[in-house]
């Protein structure tokens, strides 16, 4: 089965071609350089750049896959959530291709795509039940799946997402967007020396990160006033922030283990590229669970990409075929 997938929900124009679970091409035009000067994603600019880049991304994805257009069996695209004007561009391109090639159209959820990215090119399958988490710039969510595509939302952030928190802290420190990779690099030279608030919201699976973000901001402002925002202080603060985020996430994962049967943990989203965070969760699973496998997307499939939409479509098609 050959799937052409399109992702345009935010600031990446991405097209992938998959043969079942194998990625034949995954071409992404990133807008990071253009968006960086605004400290975040400007929707109008994102839409303009999707239109500018779409044709060359499509051409490159087709060429790299070495697949003839007539061999494509399905067209998949990100339906939601995301920036509406950007999603509409992906939808129109997908509908046009589906009409032109006379192939079925598969609409996909971006967040489900992030979770299914951990199955891309994997020889192993999830064992159910699965505890899944999307940790991205726009979302921090925990899901429970008893079977494929059966998403039960356990909890989510009530304010900022983890990625958003990292992006903002990077800006407070005078660095660029996206902040996650910046904080990860700074943290490598720091230590966990700054106590930061652990917002756990004990009774629920929901998260809250805005208080943590504000606490970090206050520390930065105080150190600036004291003329003491040294390289070492910045590195230590970055490390402490990562540590605190990892601890909060692991607290919720642990809560889920206490209350539910879980055989697999699957993580997805841009922040999952962070090795400190995933190592911390991996260590928890090794120490406190028996044989629970952690599924992570390869680093290149953590941030937004069309291959994750393609793999989600693959499982959706397989489920529909099974039902018939
Ligand atoms: O999944 P994604 O590409 O877009 C959304 O759907 O939001 O995630 C983007 C987020 C940004 O907040 C970015 O700072 C974060 O992922 N990110 C990271 C790393 N790489 C990207 N966070 C922590 N460590 C990283 N290495
Ligand atoms: Zn995303």
């Amino acid at each position: 089965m050959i799937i052409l997938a399109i992702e345009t929900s935010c600031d990446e124009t991405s097209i992938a071609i998959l043969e079942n679970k194998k990625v034949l091409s995954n071409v992404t035009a990133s807008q990071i350089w253009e968006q960086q000067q605004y400290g975040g994603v400007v929707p109008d600019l994102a839409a303009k750049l999707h239109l500018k880049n779409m044709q060359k991304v499509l051409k490159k994805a087709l060429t790299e896959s070495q697949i003839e257009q007539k061999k494509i069996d399905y067209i998949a695209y990100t339906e939601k959530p995301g920036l509406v004007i950007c999603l509409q561009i992906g939808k129109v391109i997908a509908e046009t291709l589906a009409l032109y090639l006379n192939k079925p159209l598969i609409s996909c959820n971006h967040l489900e795509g992030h979770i299914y990215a951990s199955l891309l090119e994997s020889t192993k399958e999830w064992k159910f039940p699965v505890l899944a988490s999307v940790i991205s710039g726009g979302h921090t969510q925990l899901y429970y799946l008893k079977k494929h595509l059966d998403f039960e939302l356990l909890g989510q952030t009530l304010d900022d997402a983890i990625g958003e928190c990292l992006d903002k802290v990077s800006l407070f420190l005078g660095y660029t967007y996206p902040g996650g990779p910046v904080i990860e690099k700074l943290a490598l030279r720091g230590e966990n020396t700054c106590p930061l608030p652990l917002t756990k919201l004990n009774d629920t699976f929901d998260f809250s990160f805005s208080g943590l973000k504000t606490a970090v901001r206050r520390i930065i402002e105080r150190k600036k006033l004291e003329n003491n925002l040294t390289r070492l202080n910045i590195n230590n603060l970055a490390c402490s922030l990562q540590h605190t985020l990892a601890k909060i996430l692991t607290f919720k994962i642990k809560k889920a283990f206490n209350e539910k049967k879980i055989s697999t943990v699957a993580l997805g989203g841009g922040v999952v590229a962070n090795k400190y965070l995933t190592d911390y969760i991996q260590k928890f699973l090794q120490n406190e669970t028996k044989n629970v496998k952690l599924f992570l997307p390869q680093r290149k499939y953590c941030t937004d990409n069309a291959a994750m939409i393609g793999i989600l479509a693959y499982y959706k098609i397989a489920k529909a075929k099974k039902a018939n």
Side-chain angles (χ1 to χ4, degrees):
M1 166 193 336
I2 304 286
I3 303 167
L4 183 147
I6 302 171
E7 156 63 38
T8 60
S9 68
C10 193
D11 58 343
E12 322 278 355
T13 314
S14 186
I15 297 188
I17 298 179
L18 275 72
E19 182 171 14
N20 299 322
K21 292 170 69 175
K22 188 169 169 228
V23 182
L24 302 179
S25 64
N26 181 47
V27 179
T28 303
S30 172
Q31 304 177 4
I32 284 181
W33 297 115
E34 288 92 341
Q35 300 281 3
Q36 228 163 29
Q37 58 181 306
Y38 302 102
V41 179
V42 179
D44 281 2
L45 177 61
K48 204 170 116 189
L49 292 170
H50 282 310
L51 291 172
K52 182 177 166 220
N53 293 330
M54 183 60 78
Q55 205 183 42
K56 68 169 190 264
V57 169
L58 177 59
K59 213 167 163 183
K60 197 160 178 232
L62 285 166
T63 311
E64 283 185 10
S65 72
Q66 299 185 322
I67 285 285
E68 283 176 64
Q69 287 177 28
K70 61 175 189 238
K71 294 259 170 69
I72 295 167
D73 299 304
Y74 296 90
I75 307 293
Y77 73 99
T78 305
E79 184 195 22
K80 61 177 184 189
L83 301 170
V84 174
I85 45 171
C86 298
L87 289 165
Q88 283 170 343
I89 292 170
K91 183 175 187 223
V92 168
I93 301 290
E95 283 175 344
T96 308
L97 284 173
L99 189 71
Y100 172 68
L101 297 169
N102 194 23
K103 299 294 172 188
L105 193 61
I106 317 285
S107 59
C108 292
N109 179 298
H110 180 83
L111 305 175
E112 295 178 4
H114 270 308
I115 291 168
Y116 271 78
S118 65
L119 288 168
L120 272 167
E121 302 186 320
S122 166
T123 50
K124 302 213 169 73
E125 292 288 334
W126 294 338
K127 259 200 223 151
F128 290 93
V130 174
L131 178 73
S133 184
V134 183
I135 317 165
S136 71
H139 296 84
T140 304
Q141 298 183 317
L142 265 184
Y143 288 98
Y144 190 65
L145 289 87
K146 289 194 185 122
K147 57 182 186 326
H148 269 303
L149 303 162
D150 181 22
F151 285 88
E152 180 196 340
L153 182 65
L154 296 180
Q156 60 185 329
T157 182
L158 302 177
D159 39 54
D160 293 354
I162 291 189
E164 201 178 340
C165 179
L166 293 166
D167 292 340
K168 294 273 164 59
V169 169
S170 172
L171 293 180
F172 298 156
L173 287 167
Y175 294 102
T176 48
Y177 168 86
V182 174
I183 302 293
E184 181 169 42
K185 208 164 154 202
L186 295 170
L188 285 175
R189 292 164 180 246
E191 283 175 46
N192 172 32
T193 54
C194 298
L196 294 171
L198 272 173
T199 356
K200 288 186 185 160
L201 307 171
N202 284 334
D203 296 335
T204 73
F205 285 108
D206 290 332
F207 300 92
S208 166
F209 298 106
S210 78
L212 174 60
K213 179 189 72 183
T214 307
V216 174
R217 181 183 201 153
R218 293 226 171 97
I219 292 172
I220 295 168
E221 284 169 353
R222 201 182 62 231
K223 294 234 185 275
K224 270 187 191 162
L225 274 177
E226 293 166 352
N227 222 357
N228 191 23
L229 193 62
T230 60
R231 168 70 46 206
L232 181 64
N233 280 336
I234 291 175
N235 293 344
N236 288 346
L237 193 56
C239 183
S240 307
L241 175 59
Q242 276 189 172
H243 183 78
T244 307
L245 291 170
K247 235 175 147 172
I248 295 171
L249 264 173
T250 309
F251 175 84
K252 296 292 176 181
I253 293 174
K254 197 170 178 175
K255 178 174 161 64
F257 271 93
N258 288 338
E259 294 177 22
K260 293 180 173 295
K261 178 177 163 30
I262 295 164
S263 302
T264 299
V265 174
L267 307 179
V271 181
V272 177
N274 190 290
K275 203 163 161 355
Y276 186 94
L277 204 80
T278 51
D279 282 354
Y280 194 96
I281 294 169
Q282 178 74 276
K283 227 174 257 163
F284 160 78
L285 292 178
Q286 271 165 3
N287 292 343
E288 300 204 25
T289 69
K290 278 188 215 119
N291 301 324
V292 172
K293 193 167 160 40
L294 179 63
F295 275 72
L296 301 172
Q298 293 174 48
R299 207 177 160 93
K300 62 183 171 189
Y301 299 131
C302 286
T303 46
D304 291 350
N305 66 87
M308 70 187 203
I309 301 304
I311 188 86
L312 174 62
Y314 168 82
Y315 280 92
K316 286 180 108 170
I317 296 160
K319 186 180 171 192
K321 279 186 176 168
K322 220 168 148 188
N324 286 330

